[in-house]
Amino acid sequence: MTVTQLSTFVLVARLGSVGAAARALDVSESAVSQALAALRTHYGDPLIRRTGGGGMRLTPAGARLLPVASRMVALSADAEAAVRAARGAPDELRVVATSTLAEFVLPSLVEAFASRSGRRTETSFGVASGNEIRVLVENRLADVALGPYLGAARRGELVSEPLFRTQLVVVTGARSPRPPGPPARWSWLVDSSGTDPDADSGRLLRRLGVAEGHVWVFPNQAATWAAAAEGAGVAPALAHLVSPRILRDELRILETPVTPSDATWHATVVQPEQRSPATDAFLYFLHTPAATRIMRAPGAGVPPSRFRPPVYVTLWGA
């Protein structure tokens, strides 16, 4: 039995599928299945069974193992941090964010923190959905999450602090007519956040009652805006991020029954006694004027695929 196997089991159990755990770990589904198989052999129990509806449920033994495994994974993180400190190694900081923040803001924030903090810090970052980042931070597989409010977590383990307030709007081509019919019948152009029930775009589509057949998913937010500018449909957007395209007369804001609406970015971490010095330093930096300026005007952004290193792949070397 290894910490890797326990971490994998925790992610599968919390996220509800092998595929979701593989995405969070940035590894193949077969690697997750192999880790689960080794753990099952060790304990002589299936631990997790598939249900008829395509979901998964814990066996009685798996249900008892889960809280213990979560504690062991957290203790392993503490042990690794203690050894790194004793060796004089740089602090480790693992940041995860939802797709919009990762596309437009996260690289600049991490770069600015590195240049201003004066700390020796090894920083890595990645992209995840709201449900995934909750599980990653709860189980000490990420240090800081940027995205929706996640403070109301199980056992009160997480703290979500507001960072930046903006507005969610809907945009269409500057010369495109208003789509006919109610918003639920429009063609909606979204990035992965449109399929995330915890993200602003996902909540918007749910509030408007948009069915899956009216949603088109693009690799990133910039691609959705480009398609909207060409008249392919409408796209959710955060007002301050899309404003340069509106000023260039590429897009215009389209009012809906639920937009414009308020949106807030949050930083989510564990309780103070569980945080590393690097986590506290980064959290402090996020509340500085320099970080606020980056969040307000981050630039054009780049696709997440350009800067998605394997944040958690180090688990597989355990």
Side-chain angles (χ1 to χ4, degrees), residues 95-281:
V95 186
V96 65
T98 50
S99 59
T100 299
L101 272 153
E103 180 177 348
F104 290 96
V105 174
L106 185 53
S108 297
L109 282 175
V110 169
E111 182 179 356
F113 169 70
S115 65
R116 288 168 168 79
S117 68
R119 303 179 62 89
R120 294 173 60 234
T121 305
E122 292 180 359
T123 304
S124 55
F125 49 97
V127 185
S129 69
N131 180 53
E132 291 169 350
I133 62 178
R134 177 194 296 276
V135 172
L136 290 168
V137 177
E138 277 184 337
N139 291 280
R140 310 286 294 280
L141 300 175
D143 301 303
V144 183
L146 303 181
Y149 174 77
L150 300 176
R154 293 180 299 273
R155 303 181 301 279
E157 289 182 353
L158 301 187
V159 177
S160 283
E161 298 183 357
L163 293 177
F164 188 84
R165 303 183 192 280
T166 182
Q167 281 197 318
L168 181 67
V169 298
V170 175
V171 296
T172 188
R175 283 161 289 282
S176 298
R178 184 180 179 87
R185 306 292 297 175
W186 298 349
S187 292
W188 288 86
L189 318 174
V190 301
D191 68 348
S192 61
S193 66
T195 63
D196 179 1
D198 291 315
D200 293 322
S201 296
R203 287 196 296 267
L204 171 64
L205 297 186
R206 190 168 62 250
R207 291 177 66 190
L208 292 172
V210 180
E212 184 176 326
H214 292 274
V215 179
W216 301 86
V217 182
F218 287 74
N220 52 70
Q221 186 83 87
T224 70
W225 298 343
E230 294 172 359
V234 302
L238 292 175
H240 75 291
L241 296 180
V242 79
S243 61
R245 293 173 183 257
I246 293 173
L247 293 173
R248 292 197 299 267
D249 201 30
E250 298 174 7
L251 297 167
R252 65 183 177 90
I253 294 177
L254 192 65
E255 291 190 2
T256 76
V258 297
T259 59
S261 60
D262 293 335
T264 304
W265 290 340
H266 290 79
T268 300
V269 293
V270 293
Q271 295 290 335
E273 63 273 12
Q274 298 175 308
R275 298 175 203 160
S276 68
T279 299
D280 280 330

Side-chain angles (χ1 to χ4, degrees), residues 1 3 6-7 9-10 14 39 43 58 60-76 139 155:
M1 182 184 65
V3 175
L6 291 174
S7 301
F9 166 71
V10 169
R14 298 293 193 203
L39 204 59
Y43 285 114
L58 295 171
R64 291 195 176 194
L65 174 62
L66 181 57
V68 178
S70 295
R71 291 195 296 272
M72 293 175 71
V73 172
L75 287 171
S76 174
N139 291 280
R155 303 181 301 279

